[in-house]
Amino acid sequence: MSVEQHIIISGVEPVIDCGRYPVKRIAGESCTIRACVFRDGPDVIRTAVHWRAPGAKPPAEIPMRAENPGLDLWLAEVQTAENGRYRFSIAAWTDAYATWADELRRKVGGERTDLASEYAEGAALVETALRRAEGNEKALLAKVLAGLRGGAPVPEAALALAGGGEVCGLMARLQERGDLVVSDEYEIVADRPRARTGAWYEMFVRSQGTKPGSSGTFRDAEARLADIRDMGFDVVYLAPIHPIGRTGRKGRNNTLNPQPGDPGSPWAIGSEHGGHDAVEPALGTVADFERFVAAARKLGLEVALDFAVQCSPDHPWVRAHPEWFYRRPDGTLKYAENPPKKYEDIHPLNFDCEARWELWQEIRRVLEVWIRRGVTIFRVDNPHTKPVRFWRWLIEEVQAQHPGVLFLAEAFTRPPMMKELGKAGFTQSYTYFTWRNAKAEIIEYLTELTQSGMEEYFRPNFFVNTPDILHEYLQHGGRPAFKIRLCLAATLSPSYGIYSGFELCENVPLKPGSEEYLDSEKYEIKVRDWDAPGNIKDYVRRINAIRRENPSLAEFTNLRFLPSDSDQILSYAKLSADCSNVILVVLNLDPHGAHECTVRVPPEVLGLQSGARFEVHDLVTGARYDWGERNYVRLDPAVEPAHILRVETQR
Amino acid sequence: MSVEQHIIISGVEPVIDCGRYPVKRIAGESCTIRACVFRDGPDVIRTAVHWRAPGAKPPAEIPMRAENPGLDLWLAEVQTAENGRYRFSIAAWTDAYATWADELRRKVGGERTDLASEYAEGAALVETALRRAEGNEKALLAKVLAGLRGGAPVPEAALALAGGGEVCGLMARLQERGDLVVSDEYEIVADRPRARTGAWYEMFVRSQGTKPGSSGTFRDAEARLADIRDMGFDVVYLAPIHPIGRTGRKGRNNTLNPQPGDPGSPWAIGSEHGGHDAVEPALGTVADFERFVAAARKLGLEVALDFAVQCSPDHPWVRAHPEWFYRRPDGTLKYAENPPKKYEDIHPLNFDCEARWELWQEIRRVLEVWIRRGVTIFRVDNPHTKPVRFWRWLIEEVQAQHPGVLFLAEAFTRPPMMKELGKAGFTQSYTYFTWRNAKAEIIEYLTELTQSGMEEYFRPNFFVNTPDILHEYLQHGGRPAFKIRLCLAATLSPSYGIYSGFELCENVPLKPGSEEYLDSEKYEIKVRDWDAPGNIKDYVRRINAIRRENPSLAEFTNLRFLPSDSDQILSYAKLSADCSNVILVVLNLDPHGAHECTVRVPPEVLGLQSGARFEVHDLVTGARYDWGERNYVRLDPAVEPAHILRVETQR
């Protein structure tokens, strides 16, 4: 005969989409599991988290404690120590003995002193548990039993004997969980710290050489690593390194008539030299690539590869697997287009084809090849044009073997798809950051990213520019604009990046109103003087050092905007959990002129009393200031557009 | 070979708890179904609601429209015309022809004018659909097919032929839904209007007589109905009318030594005269009760019965079904207690007993008996001490046969359980209203009730007092306090009630600090002069008339608090959807003294331009005032504690 179900488990956190997708956490940090658990009547319940670590380990049971009894809220801290996927559910059951002891406790001092019936009830519970006890536990329970059944103790004595913490704890462990309820199981992905925090540097290998017109190689790229590390970056992200097709190749500035020597777009993947598992011969060999990766690792740099699931007309798959592509009625394969735009150098893959399972497997195999060659991160091109379900499968498959491999989604599309890709498994995502330049829109967007619930599954990577995006703000703002955007990205988000050339303040668009670069590196080899005058490398170096030295900048949701009475000056605080590391950023968003204002730091933000003063140390200039609740600030972008202030002493 | 799943359906509304429970709506009103639906790539999708009305009717398909394409939000209005339970799911599929037509549209005017391949693709889709077309439809598609395959039309002509609304609509209907996705199914309970709106009057039948010490009868209660209707009430709620037990009977003021003639508590249900399906002989017969119900119905009043699932020691079930009760180890049955309180006149039922299915069935049978006798509403006593699952079953069972029977939960307990009972099926619920007397706490509580999401499943009934609750505010506030609380309850909530005696301003507690009434009607018969001096019956009458004449007061979530610069004066607006009926309430919460302030009515609340003036008509006094954005108000509680102003003309 089954037992009546009394207990309700609701409001389990952290859960997204009713548990359809996992939430994200960082391995090595603790995680708080919460639930609202209650039942009818006054009976006492117990709750616990059933916690399953990655692998086949048996689940652990972690008792929850009452966080807010008035709202039936329970909580437990769990450790996501390993990089992998955890599963948890909430278990709850009625503790009959604790219920009995609680009623006894409340009857002590009451009108009735003959509680023989109550004692008999408690004795019955103890007797049942006694059968499962051993050793000292058995002795203790026997004593309780004897006391309750024997000498009719006064209520206070009975309570002392049978209602103490040790006996109740023992009974909690031994008694049956007659009405045990277990919730659905939910998943948490615990990623390694790089999933949240890192400074990224994007470059084209072919442009790392020193001879104009000649392709740079992996060796040239290797020679740049020391400088990239010196600037303080953690990840080197390479535009595609695969063989580039000839058919339909684009010329400089995306023209349709390539000249001999035009290298084409690296995203037109595949030639007679191979496809997604091969390297463009002009860059070197696979061994050269592996050497490059090893050199990077030695410097503490990770290598991220661009991963674009598409093919040039010359890709080996076109001949070997025509069934993987879209076919026109005349039998020819379709190139990519987004009318009126046409991309004759690219064939999209048909994820509706009958042979799609083989396609999925091949893509999986390609990733495995690169992982074996030392790649730890994939930046995925346009995932929003392939089924979400495919990405979920691919990422889960890869991470089951390699939990430390990260995936960055480059999906500039509508918000629901961007969010779904994050939920489905992408470790990080590009965002609308480049188009958020004014104060109000920055505040609105960062508030959404840090507080709307997105923070459970969506990790932004604030690239300040990309080969496709040179925002107007940078085109017209001069060198100060580059410092402003770098400071914003690097202090608002633990993961941010620059596309090489940004440090040189490259800012010439294809034409007015365009976000494309003139003479874009997508269509030609660019040889740069990496120390060209006017560069902001010192600033980049300083900002990255500040990030590394201040742990509050390695988190994301610890952001709080501070009021300032100028719409050109943005101010915010980044606070570590115990306030041991507090960074205040005050930033002039206008690259053209100085502005001044009063920045208000409400005392409670720093846990201070009203009227308290504190010293701030400008980590960019070294200056120190005495601050309080209201502070005058003037920032000239031609000098320094931003204060990055560490709160150092409180007076 | 199965088809690839591209479409994501998320954010379906209205849904609570992942669909575990239904949401509530009112029959006769429309309901908006929303969902966020999207897929990878640029393909065009269609979405629809699959809508199932109560009963075995086949589902209807209601197309959704794009409410906000930039956020992939779709919407459809559905009608919950019937009182009953509706089910819905979201269906979505790719419209291949619309996708094709959209691409064609974007290629018109482009570089290529030879679109033979595109025409061929469209023709293939049309040809497949043609096989399923009939009559005129067939002719139209044949014409399109011929045009696309025949004369190589210029793009504009092809678009006009094949991309127009009629053709696209026809193709949308005829083509296969290859990748159809259907969401989970969700439920909506459409209750009749009384579920949301009504004024309730609670009384004890035995106190409706005219001879002190003698029990009133159903005839006496019948004689009161005209006056209750005249005051403007819609529901008469009776304290339990069942036989009252003798064993353990409580005396006056809840003492343990009843005197002969003390009638006991009506909640100590059951005697030799019967149990939950019987009537206390002192009140009359079942036929008398049915006559009472008929008389009420003739006056437009509904009868609500108190339903308390508990028994006196003399209840027939004790002898017939001892297995339904808790048994002490000595074999005797346990009475109710909440230590240190004891309720020796009541035995709780044991919902864990092995025979609980029979218990459930008997409770169901009892309700059916009363429904047949004309009862349409049950006010359930302390549902939070019985399993939630039981109530869900009971309410669903009853409403499957009698969808118009309503259930009010009297669960003064912690919020999660109160909410769960609402979700599980209770039509309405008592709330913390009696303990929300100051301005800030009223605003906070009403904001939670109207905006936190609770409004989807939790309908408050704002009783101003109950036989158990005489709040201190009423004890010390005099006659004005009664008017204030009545006005608050009746204008803030479409469902509210008074416990008889409130209109006579009965306000003497058992002792200082207690919320119990002195000489509580729970333990004795009270014969009242229903027109005693100092009563507020005229005010009750006026307030109920204002409610009936102003439809904005029949809704709940259409509430907006207005700023006023006094913490004693509360002001709010109730606005019908099209602003055709707008009521502004300005209320002095201090029963002891006059207060004045400025009440601000932001123009946008009324849809007005800044600076606009409007006339307001005080529906209590008849006075008219010229109002604008800022308005001086002075309220003397000894005169009228509240303005209830209808916005009548806008200048």
Side-chain angles (χ1 to χ4, degrees), chain B residues 208-229:
Chain B
Q208 304 313 311
T210 49
K211 279 181 55 182
S214 279
S215 178
T217 65
F218 289 117
R219 299 265 171 160
D220 295 317
E222 199 183 319
R224 289 226 48 232
L225 290 174
D227 188 41
I228 292 167
R229 187 54 180 165

Side-chain angles (χ1 to χ4, degrees), chain B residues 280-293:
Chain B
E280 165 59 52
L283 305 181
T285 64
V286 169
D288 290 332
F289 172 76
E290 290 174 326
R291 197 191 128 121
F292 168 80
V293 172

Side-chain angles (χ1 to χ4, degrees), chain A residues 117 178 492 513 607:
Chain A
S117 187
L492 282 173

Side-chain angles (χ1 to χ4, degrees), chain B residues 30 41 43 159 183 190 211 235 254 270 333 371 375 415 422 425 462 482 542 548 609 619 624:
Chain B
S30 66
D43 296 49
L159 184 63
S183 73
K211 279 181 55 182
V235 176
N254 198 19
L333 298 188
I371 293 167
V375 174
F462 278 1
F482 284 76
R542 187 70 204 119
R548 263 200 307 284
Q609 296 297 321
L619 301 178
R624 290 175 185 271

Side-chain angles (χ1 to χ4, degrees), chain A residues 394-405:
Chain A
L394 183 67
I395 294 171
E396 285 179 1
E397 280 279 302
V398 168
Q399 291 184 340
Q401 307 300 318
H402 313 281
V405 170

